[in-house]
Amino acid sequence: MELLLYDAFNGLIVGMFYALMALGLSMILTLNSVVNMAHGGFLILGAYLAFTLEPYLGFWGALVAGPVIAMVFGLIVERVLIRPIYKREDPVYSLLLTFGLALIMQDVARTIWGPAGLPFAIPDALNSPLSSSFFFLTGYRAVVVAIAFFAVVGLMLVMRYTRIGIRIRAGIRDLETVSGLGVNIYVLRAVNFGAGCLLAGLAGVLAAGQLGLTPTMGDSLIMPSFVAIIVGGVGSFLGSVLGGLLIGVAAGVMTTYYPAASDAVIYGIMALVLIVRPRGLMGQEGMFE
Amino acid sequence: MNSRYVRLGVLWLLLLTVPWWLPLVGGYTQLGTRVLVYALAAMGLNLLLGFTGGLSFGHAAYYGLGAYGVGLTLKYLAPSTPLALVVGTLVGGVAATLLGPTLMRRRGVYFAMITLAFGQLFYFIVVRWNNVTGGEDGLTGFVRQPLHFGHHVLPLHDVAFYYLVLFCFALATAIMGILLRSPLGHTWVAIRENRRRAQFLGIPVERYVWASFAISGFVTALAGGLNAMLNNFTSPLDLYWVLSGDFVIIAVLGGMRSFWGPLVGAIIYLYAQDYLSSLTDNWQSFIGLIFILVVLLFPRGMLGMLRMKARSA
């Protein structure tokens, strides 16, 4: 029982990373119509820069700086590389472009920081368990859950109540009409892309403290995040978040019973959802159908 | 019309004489075989991507299933090259066919994402099922077997194997060429050009895209099987999504609106990969740069550009 709880909680933590990734991916997918294969690249960018800056800024400073730099880089990439190809209708181009970018970012990270794993130091105060009976519930994990929770809730509030958030949601529904109403959709898409990269960077720093840093960590987190979007339902941000948590916990629980299938179970859930409810758990009607 | 036959004749003449001229320009027969295998995989993908307008980013899965089908058949079932190829092609192709209906409901970027995610399913199955597949280390312990024609035995050394691959390549391209000239092929192109209009004309679009997806899966699986025989080895990397990206860039680089585009793309891409990896440790960055440059500067690919030039001249 204790083991199950331990694995499930581990899964929940990893699911938080999936959820943050999936949320950003989903925003970029729906508004920018880009499958951002470089999302894992932005994740490692945020994580490694936080690692490098930590000695100067401290843990909390790095936790802010890493994602912000990922966002700034994302804004540059969007402006320079992605904006010129929005008008091409075939999705193959944006996919190949971000795929190439992902290859470069991973290779650069490997060249600068080396292929071996690096430890991302977290404050001692966060390293000890909160309670002696639940040894796995460290302060850091509680912080991860809290930060991820506030990031998601904050984003939901922005999407719901601010002008830019409402415009983004409207743009997802019908970008042409939003543009016709006088909204600068170039700015809208740039903001959206930057926000997605910010989330990727945040996931990267948080994951680095939990799992350590490797150049391939983006790779291993991006695929389950795609699955999270499919399971949660494209077009629903809450769906992506819940999808991420669900597959994270499912993979964690599977570790207890049948470790060999812990990766495959994610895809099993995806197949099941697609058969029973093709648009995903909370997916909206008419998106990409 | 005549010039097309001349060009086709030259193409096949060049392909048939690869073992003679490739060493003269600094290559080796196996490299030629590898180009054909990748070209075949990308042409299979291109049936869907370039002629039906469906972007699959998970074709490495069917390629890899073909490879494992071949390897496992040779290792456990029967030491027969033709049988192994048939089994490999069937394993990959049937997997694509069965998955088809689940994927068909979506389009555009979402279709790409969903094919990508499903591709990874097979990757994890192969990695985790290590007592059969050899896990992360890959599948070894099988070799391609000589071909038997009655009493005559043909050992498959490098050159003979090249011709076996060329034979499969010719067979598959002939089938695809015929299909594309048939009403089925024209319907695919109609769907690519305007999916909604095709739907309004009463064409069951999803079923047609499914057919394209399935056939393209069979062809790509055949290529994967041939690759396993070429190396007498296959590994989970043959199903990894990065390889799917390779196939897509090969098709786009050569020209995805052209039937022979992927062949041109495969020649350029494999040469670049070979050359760059001998030159620098950071070859992955340069490959990524090729991706970006092709997208920004040569979206029509090599053959597409040539065609544009020919038309404007």
Side-chain angles (χ1 to χ4, degrees):
Chain A
M1 191 58 209
E2 191 133 300
L3 187 66
L4 177 65
L5 210 59
Y6 169 76
D7 282 330
F9 191 72
N10 259 346
L12 183 72
I13 297 289
V14 178
M16 292 275 172
F17 306 142
Y18 295 159
L20 288 176
M21 282 282 275
L23 193 54
L25 272 172
S26 177
M27 288 166 65
I28 294 170
L29 177 78
T30 46
L31 186 71
N32 302 59
S33 294
V34 171
V35 179
N36 187 18
M37 301 297 288
H39 218 61
F42 289 106
L43 179 140
I44 53 173
L45 183 79
Y48 274 106
L49 285 172
F51 171 81
T52 303
L53 293 172
E54 197 186 17
Y56 310 104
L57 302 176
F59 173 78
W60 300 103
L63 184 62
V64 174
V68 168
I69 297 172
M71 179 186 73
V72 171
F73 191 71
L75 288 172
I76 296 171
V77 163
E78 198 271 347
R79 179 69 189 83
V80 177
L81 296 175
I82 297 180
R83 191 181 290 188
I85 61 168
Y86 278 136
K87 57 183 178 296
R88 298 195 197 154
E89 278 187 18
D90 200 321
V92 72
Y93 295 111
S94 61
L95 216 125
L96 283 178
L97 187 102
T98 52
F99 185 73
L101 202 62
L103 291 178
I104 295 175
M105 288 166 97
Q106 194 184 76
D107 193 45
V108 168
R110 184 166 33 222
T111 308
I112 297 177
W113 288 282
L118 295 171
F120 183 72
I122 48 180
D124 288 335
L126 294 180
N127 241 337
S128 48
L130 291 178
S131 121
S132 53
S133 51
F134 296 111
F135 62 95
F136 48 83
L137 185 63
T138 61
Y140 184 70
R141 290 171 164 208
V143 167
V144 168
V145 173
I147 291 175
F149 179 78
F150 283 118
V152 168
V153 170
L155 191 83
M156 296 289 170
L157 291 177
V158 167
M159 286 288 180
R160 183 123 224 130
Y161 294 110
T162 65
R163 176 173 290 192
I164 186 105
I166 291 168
R167 284 175 173 177
I168 285 175
R169 283 192 301 133
I172 287 169
R173 275 274 164 210
D174 188 347
L175 195 59
E176 231 167 277
T177 305
V178 171
S179 169
L181 290 170
V183 176
N184 186 339
I185 57 167
Y186 286 99
V187 174
L188 202 63
R189 283 189 291 211
V191 168
N192 188 60
F193 196 90
C197 296
L198 182 80
L199 289 175
L202 182 65
V205 185
L206 293 177
Q210 178 70 31
L211 312 166
L213 279 154
T214 59
T216 54
M217 67 189 283
D219 261 11
S220 51
L221 286 172
I222 193 170
M223 278 305 142
S225 307
F226 283 132
V227 175
I229 295 174
I230 296 169
V231 168
V234 74
S236 160
F237 294 139
L238 192 61
S240 298
V241 173
L242 294 180
L245 296 180
L246 175 70
I247 59 170
V249 172
V253 169
M254 207 56 165
T255 317
T256 316
Y257 294 108
Y258 192 59
S262 63
D263 313 298
V265 72
I266 292 175
Y267 298 90
I269 292 176
M270 176 182 78
L272 196 71
V273 166
L274 281 174
I275 291 165
V276 178
R277 195 178 155 80
R279 80 170 74 122
L281 295 178
M282 307 180 73
Q284 294 186 15
E285 206 172 343
M287 295 288 286
F288 299 108
E289 271 174 357
Chain B
M1 211 55 194
N2 257 340
S3 74
R4 211 188 80 202
Y5 286 115
V6 171
R7 264 178 294 173
L8 264 183
V10 171
L11 172 72
W12 281 106
L13 200 66
L14 280 175
L15 286 176
L16 279 167
T17 52
V18 157
W20 284 278
W21 61 260
L22 195 59
L24 299 179
V25 292
Y28 45 99
T29 306
Q30 271 175 310
L31 185 66
T33 316
R34 221 153 66 87
V35 167
L36 271 190
V37 165
Y38 273 74
L40 184 59
M43 284 176 91
L45 169 71
N46 202 37
L47 193 73
L48 181 69
L49 173 67
F51 291 97
T52 321
L55 170 56
S56 162
F57 220 76
H59 256 53
Y62 315 113
Y63 180 87
L65 285 176
Y68 275 89
V70 161
L72 293 172
T73 306
L74 284 176
K75 191 170 179 181
Y76 296 112
L77 214 58
S80 156
T81 292
L83 179 75
L85 274 180
V86 170
V87 171
T89 309
L90 282 178
V91 169
V94 169
T97 311
L98 291 179
L99 275 183
T102 330
L103 309 171
M104 286 316 127
R105 304 236 357 236
R106 303 295 184 158
R107 59 176 173 76
V109 267
Y110 196 65
F111 181 73
M113 194 176 78
I114 221 165
T115 48
L116 175 68
F118 261 111
Q120 283 302 97
L121 170 66
F122 297 107
Y123 172 78
F124 282 115
I125 291 176
V126 164
V127 167
R128 294 296 172 192
W129 198 10
N130 37 14
N131 48 0
V132 174
T133 61
E136 304 233 27
D137 299 332
L139 184 67
T140 51
F142 65 93
V143 278
R144 56 176 188 256
Q145 299 292 318
L147 289 177
H148 295 266
F149 299 101
H151 294 292
H152 190 73
V153 176
L154 178 70
L156 285 179
H157 51 77
D158 285 350
V159 173
F161 184 66
Y162 172 81
Y163 284 107
L164 176 69
V165 173
L166 187 62
F167 173 75
C168 296
F169 181 79
L171 198 69
T173 49
I175 293 174
M176 286 193 288
I178 291 169
L179 286 179
L180 284 172
R181 273 184 190 73
S182 73
L184 175 67
H186 291 293
T187 312
W188 282 335
V189 174
I191 292 170
R192 175 192 83 194
E193 290 301 319
N194 195 330
R195 193 181 173 117
R196 183 161 293 177
R197 189 173 294 172
Q199 214 149 20
F200 287 159
L201 285 171
I203 296 168
V205 168
E206 284 173 19
R207 221 178 299 161
Y208 275 89
V209 179
W210 181 21
S212 174
F213 186 79
I215 295 167
S216 117
F218 276 104
V219 175
T220 307
L222 171 65
L226 289 169
N227 192 53
M229 284 192 179
L230 170 65
N231 303 321
N232 290 323
F233 171 69
T234 183
S235 82
L237 285 181
D238 286 333
L239 318 105
Y240 201 52
W241 55 276
V242 173
L243 189 64
S244 301
D246 287 345
F247 295 151
V248 176
I249 191 75
I250 284 172
V252 173
L253 179 62
M256 60 177 182
R257 294 286 186 266
S258 323
F259 186 72
W260 297 105
L263 179 60
V264 176
I267 295 169
I268 300 171
Y269 189 70
L270 288 184
Y271 180 76
Q273 219 176 29
D274 220 43
Y275 179 70
L276 289 172
S277 59
S278 70
L279 208 66
T280 158
D281 283 340
N282 290 100
W283 59 276
Q284 198 187 322
S285 289
F286 287 95
I287 293 288
L289 200 62
I290 292 178
F291 275 56
I292 293 174
L293 291 178
V294 165
V295 168
L296 292 180
L297 305 177
F298 313 106
R300 287 165 193 279
M302 292 298 158
L303 288 187
M305 276 207 316
L306 288 178
R307 199 183 287 170
M308 287 258 287
K309 280 234 175 80
R311 207 171 288 164
S312 62

